[in-house]
Amino acid sequence: QVVELISSAIGDLVQGIYYENSKSSEENCLTDDIGISRWKEQVFLRHSALLAKSCQAAMELAKHSAEIQDMAFQYGKHMSMSHKLHSDLQPFVKETSSDSMAFSLNSAPAILHQEFRGREAWLKQIREKPCARRDNCARLNHPPHRCACVFQQLQEAIKAGKGVTSAIDLCRCHGNRALAALEQFPPSEARDALANIVYAVTRFP
């Protein structure tokens, strides 16, 4: 059963990588209008399945019950989701950032911002942002959302909207679900260490 779990996790990972690569040839190209629900599905395949099923497999090796195995799965899944959200949020919550290209238009804050504004309004916002280096970007054949100055303006627009605060709330929600799963295990140093991981990825300035 452990081999089957890990094999299925690797299959999920490959499927997630294939989906990402088939939808976007560049990191910051806009993908389809996936919405946050579809984003969660993709993140589970690409980032969470391996950890969740590895946690479950560890409980199987230790001969714990199916209920405990499921709690371990839930911890791995939700902790990993929190970690991905925390990573996506860093360009928006850091007090200083010298890299205006450090976020993806397909990150959680951007997708949530798009959901609040609507897909068409978000695309219009991208297309209509003025570029201070328009001539140079035209010469380099940059699409509008690849220009550094436009990207910085989009970053500020996302910060000013509800996408960032909603992503923080979602990160903490998954963190709380991971902690709830941990409560099913008896107190120990190991449980405390796993809880500290959750606290670390749900803490923001």
Side-chain angles (χ1 to χ4, degrees):
Q1 185 170 350
V2 169
V3 172
E4 183 179 342
L5 278 169
I6 300 303
S7 297
S8 67
I10 294 171
D12 291 337
L13 176 62
V14 171
Q15 183 180 346
I17 293 172
Y18 175 79
Y19 183 86
E20 285 186 1
N21 290 343
S22 66
K23 292 297 181 182
S24 176
S25 59
E26 296 183 21
E27 179 184 358
N28 287 313
C29 282
L30 283 168
T31 58
D32 295 336
D33 184 12
I34 61 174
I36 197 63
S37 296
R38 183 61 177 159
W39 179 88
K40 288 182 181 181
E41 294 174 8
Q42 293 176 18
V43 168
F44 175 78
L45 291 173
R46 182 68 175 84
H47 299 276
S48 302
L50 184 58
L51 181 60
K53 292 182 179 180
S54 294
C55 290
Q56 181 181 351
M59 296 300 98
E60 168 66 22
L61 286 173
K63 301 187 183 303
H64 284 289
S65 67
E67 181 181 2
I68 293 299
Q69 290 182 39
D70 182 61
M71 290 300 100
F73 177 94
Q74 295 301 324
Y75 170 80
K77 172 185 175 181
H78 292 294
M79 191 280 284
S80 182
M81 294 292 289
S82 288
H83 182 271
K84 182 64 170 69
L85 284 156
H86 185 270
S87 176
D88 279 5
L89 277 160
Q90 289 311 295
F92 301 95
V93 299
K94 284 182 178 178
E95 293 183 1
T96 58
S97 177
S98 60
D99 187 1
S100 61
M101 298 289 285
F103 80 98
S104 169
L105 289 172
N106 303 304
S107 63
I111 288 175
L112 286 164
H113 178 78
Q114 172 186 297
E115 286 201 341
F116 282 112
R117 285 191 57 83
R119 174 72 171 180
E120 292 305 317
W122 174 227
L123 291 176
K124 183 179 180 182
Q125 187 175 26
I126 292 172
R127 296 189 191 105
E128 293 184 355
K129 282 294 180 186
C131 177
R133 297 176 295 183
R134 186 181 302 276
D135 293 340
N136 185 54
C137 288
R139 179 175 58 81
L140 295 174
N141 198 29
H142 283 173
H145 64 275
R146 294 289 292 174
C147 302
C149 54
V150 172
F151 222 82
Q152 187 171 11
Q153 293 177 69
L154 292 174
Q155 191 173 19
E156 293 303 319
I158 294 171
K159 285 182 180 180
K162 298 179 180 179
V164 172
T165 55
S166 295
I168 290 174
D169 290 342
L170 186 59
C171 179
R172 289 173 174 160
C173 176
H174 282 289
N176 288 336
R177 295 180 71 175
L179 293 172
L182 277 182
E183 290 296 322
Q184 302 300 315
F185 295 88
S188 65
E189 289 185 6
R191 193 182 85 168
D192 291 343
L194 292 172
N196 286 336
I197 296 173
V198 177
Y199 297 141
V201 298
T202 55
R203 187 181 299 118
F204 298 94

